[in-house]
């Protein structure tokens, strides 16, 4: 009886110690509770398949419930195998607003006050369109687009939003019957034409040179490009002008944009508008666009128009464009020279149907081809003299004679063409 009592006391002591250890160490959890916890938490052994969310559950296939039994040195060496988050892509060059750097409007301690400043940031003159929300002078360069691509992009968004909402506007831009509220500081920083107009009469606004009514409906897009000088505003302006063109017979809006850009000294806009006109040259518009090329002194557009007229024939272009328009761009005295140049392009023995906008250039091309073929003929004669005893000498000699006849024909053709295109305006058609 005493032995049974002693054994019962020992078993009771072991149960009490196990209960206390159960509360302290999770490794003494019974197998049934451990399996239930695994099922509830979604945990698996290292021999089973890893769940779909590998970033969280694939921690080197370690059984989480057994980590408490391992030494700290071993636990600290465990590293997750999930891939790190990818870095954000670098900004593309076309996303950078290069021209939106308004550093000329910043206050310089040893210089004059910035033009048209209308607020202060702790005693430093500034402009409300840029300094809105800025509390310290050190943040002004970033607000004016001086601190990299992100800073310039933020300045671009600021000025475009201010133009759209007319917030802090202090002047008016006029084009014909259209007018638009704008900001003097931005116009002063971005456009030499507007800078001169504002310096001469700062309270009268800016009157843009009127070059056609087609641009009145697109004044906001034009001023937006004046604000940013960015390719995105440039393409939006040209696309809108192209979409609004009709067949009413008026001058295309792209021509008006090119004329206004030439007057405002906007070289990028002028070049982009002329590039679109070069791509749009056809039978009906070649004569009128030739006058535009003459007014804007653009040689690419002039060559494209003359090539189209010579390729299609001056008579066909005159019928398509109308006699008045064609004769205004090409005087009747040049029609005969155009016909001869068209005949030369059609019968050119070097390249039939070549684009020949200038008679002198066409004859220079023929002379160059003649010199090249004459040199080849001399080389062939020398090789035939050295290889006169070869089995194929008769065949080679026949080919040389045919080449000699072709060179003689080309020389006579050039002499005939030079006699038709006399000196003076007929060389360049007088256009």
């Amino acid at each position: 009886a005493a032995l049974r009592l002693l054994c019962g006391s020992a078993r009771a002591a072991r149960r009490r110690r196990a209960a206390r250890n159960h509360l302290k160490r999770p490794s003494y959890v019974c197998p049934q509770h451990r399996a239930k916890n695994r099922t509830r938490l979604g945990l698996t052994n290292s021999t089973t398949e890893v769940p779909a969310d590998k970033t969280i559950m694939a921690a080197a296939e370690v059984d989480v419930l057994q980590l408490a039994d391992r030494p700290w040195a071993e636990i600290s060496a465990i590293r997750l195998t999930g891939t790190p988050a990818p870095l954000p892509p670098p900004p593309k060059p076309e996303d950078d607003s290069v021209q939106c750097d308004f550093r000329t409007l910043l206050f310089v301690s040893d210089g004059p006050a910035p033009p048209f400043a209308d607020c202060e940031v702790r005693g430093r003159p500034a402009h409300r369109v840029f300094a809105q929300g800025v509390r310290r002078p050190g943040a002004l360069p970033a607000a004016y687009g001086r601190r990299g691509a992100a800073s310039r992009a933020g300045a671009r968004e600021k000025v475009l939003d201010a133009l759209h909402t007319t917030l802090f506007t202090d002047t008016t831009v006029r084009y014909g019957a259209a007018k638009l509220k704008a900001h003097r500081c931005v116009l002063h920083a971005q456009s030499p034409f507007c800078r001169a107009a504002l310096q001469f009469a700062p309270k009268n606004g800016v009157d843009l040179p009127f070059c056609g009514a087609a641009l009145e409906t697109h004044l906001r897009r034009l001023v937006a490009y004046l604000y940013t000088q960015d390719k995105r505003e440039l393409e939006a302006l040209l696309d809108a002008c192209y979409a609004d063109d009709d067949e009413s017979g008026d001058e295309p809006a792209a021509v008006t944009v090119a004329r206004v850009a030439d007057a405002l000294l906007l070289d990028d806009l002028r070049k982009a508008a002329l590039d679109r006109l070069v791509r749009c040259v056809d039978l009906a518009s070649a004569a009128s666009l030739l006058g535009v090329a003459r007014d804007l002194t653009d040689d690419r557009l002039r060559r494209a128009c003359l090539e189209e007229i010579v390729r299609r024939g001056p008579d066909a272009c005159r019928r398509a464009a109308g006699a008045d328009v064609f004769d205004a761009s090409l005087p009747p005295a040049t029609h005969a020279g155009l016909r001869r140049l068209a005949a030369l392009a059609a019968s050119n023995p070097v390249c039939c149907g070549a684009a020949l906008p200038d008679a002198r250039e066409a004859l220079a091309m023929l002379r160059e081809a003649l010199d090249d073929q004459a040199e080849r003929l001399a080389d062939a004669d020398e090789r035939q003299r050295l290889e006169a005893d070869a089995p194929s000498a008769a065949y080679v000699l026949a080919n040389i004679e045919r080449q000699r006849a072709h060179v003689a024909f080309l020389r006579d053709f050039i002499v005939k063409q030079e006699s038709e295109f006399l000196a003076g305006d007929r060389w360049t058609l007088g256009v």
Side-chain angles (χ1 to χ4, degrees):
L3 181 61
R4 285 195 300 269
L5 180 61
L6 182 61
C7 291
S9 300
R11 285 196 295 268
R14 284 197 297 271
R15 291 194 196 99
R16 286 194 296 271
R17 286 196 300 270
R20 288 196 298 271
N21 290 334
H22 171 72
L23 296 176
K24 294 180 180 179
R25 301 185 63 185
S27 60
Y28 286 93
V29 179
C30 64
Q32 292 81 5
H33 283 279
R34 183 179 297 175
K36 186 184 298 184
N37 290 337
R38 291 170 186 266
T39 306
R40 183 173 64 253
L41 298 176
L43 302 176
T44 59
N45 292 328
S46 60
T47 57
T48 58
E49 184 179 359
V50 180
D53 194 358
K54 296 181 180 181
T55 305
I56 301 176
M57 306 305 298
E61 298 186 354
V62 175
D63 194 345
V64 179
L65 294 180
Q66 297 178 2
L67 291 178
D69 292 335
R70 298 190 179 188
W72 173 249
E74 183 180 353
I75 295 175
S76 62
I78 298 175
R79 295 291 183 268
L80 296 178
T81 59
T83 58
L87 296 175
K92 298 180 179 180
E94 56 268 19
D95 295 335
D96 188 5
S97 305
V98 180
Q99 300 295 332
C100 291
D101 186 352
F102 300 91
R103 66 178 63 194
T104 57
L105 299 175
L106 283 171
F107 172 74
V108 181
S109 58
D110 56 349
F116 308 114
D118 54 1
C119 69
E120 288 186 355
V121 177
R122 293 188 179 179
R124 294 187 60 176
H127 306 82
R128 288 184 295 174
V129 65
F130 296 104
Q132 186 182 14
V134 178
R135 295 292 180 266
R136 55 187 181 85
L140 284 176
Y144 280 79
R146 193 181 176 181
R147 298 292 174 83
S151 176
R152 291 191 291 267
R156 172 178 174 269
E157 294 297 330
K158 280 185 179 180
V159 296
L160 289 179
D161 184 67
L163 176 65
H164 179 70
T165 59
T166 65
L167 185 66
F168 307 134
T169 55
D170 54 3
T171 189
T172 304
V173 178
R174 292 178 290 271
Y175 179 83
K179 59 177 64 176
L180 183 68
K181 294 291 185 179
H183 305 81
R184 291 185 296 178
C185 60
V186 181
L187 294 175
H188 183 276
Q190 294 291 79
S191 172
F193 180 90
C194 297
R195 186 181 308 124
L198 291 173
Q199 288 178 350
F200 179 75
K203 296 183 179 180
N204 294 339
V206 179
D207 291 310
L208 300 180
F210 184 79
C211 300
L215 200 57
E216 289 182 344
T217 57
H218 304 296
L219 179 60
R220 181 175 295 275
R221 296 183 183 275
L222 176 61
V223 175
Y225 176 72
L226 283 175
Y227 269 40
T228 65
Q229 308 261 329
D230 193 80
K231 185 178 180 180
R232 284 161 283 187
E233 279 70 49
L234 184 149
E235 295 293 338
L237 171 62
L238 293 179
D239 290 342
C241 292
Y242 181 80
D244 288 351
D245 277 342
D246 53 15
E247 302 296 333
S248 61
D250 296 334
E251 193 173 57
V255 176
T256 306
V257 172
R259 294 184 186 277
V260 172
D262 184 70
L264 296 179
L265 305 178
L266 301 173
D267 294 336
D268 292 340
L269 181 60
R270 178 182 183 274
K271 182 180 181 299
L274 290 174
D275 286 343
R276 294 211 176 191
L277 292 178
V278 169
R279 295 195 298 265
C280 295
V281 173
D282 56 8
L283 183 66
S285 63
S288 60
L289 291 180
L290 183 61
V292 176
R294 186 188 299 112
D295 296 340
L296 298 179
T297 62
D298 187 74
D299 188 63
R300 293 181 303 113
L301 183 58
R302 185 188 70 84
R303 289 179 63 89
C305 295
L306 285 176
E307 288 175 1
E308 180 70 15
I309 293 172
V310 170
R311 185 176 65 88
R312 305 292 291 270
D315 296 330
C317 289
R318 192 170 187 268
R319 289 192 298 269
D324 297 338
V325 176
F326 190 86
D327 293 341
S329 298
L330 292 164
T334 63
H335 295 181
L338 282 171
R339 294 189 185 95
R340 281 195 295 270
L341 190 57
L344 173 60
S347 61
N348 183 5
V350 177
C351 181
C352 185
L356 303 175
D358 188 271
R360 189 185 296 274
E361 181 179 338
L363 293 175
M365 181 185 67
L366 291 176
R367 278 290 181 186
E368 183 178 358
L370 176 62
D371 295 340
D372 182 63
Q373 294 190 17
E375 184 178 356
R376 292 183 181 181
L377 179 60
D379 293 341
D381 284 336
E382 182 65 20
R383 288 196 305 271
Q384 196 275 336
R385 185 181 63 82
L386 297 176
E387 302 174 0
D389 298 335
S392 60
Y395 176 76
V396 173
L397 184 60
N399 287 337
I400 290 175
E401 293 301 326
R402 283 195 293 269
Q403 188 176 1
R404 183 176 286 108
H406 178 71
V407 169
F409 168 76
L410 183 58
R411 183 179 291 108
D412 296 339
F413 179 81
I414 293 174
V415 171
K416 181 181 178 181
Q417 294 296 328
E418 287 179 343
S419 64
E420 292 183 359
F421 290 98
L422 303 176
D425 289 341
R426 294 185 182 180
W427 288 105
T428 57
L429 304 178
V431 294

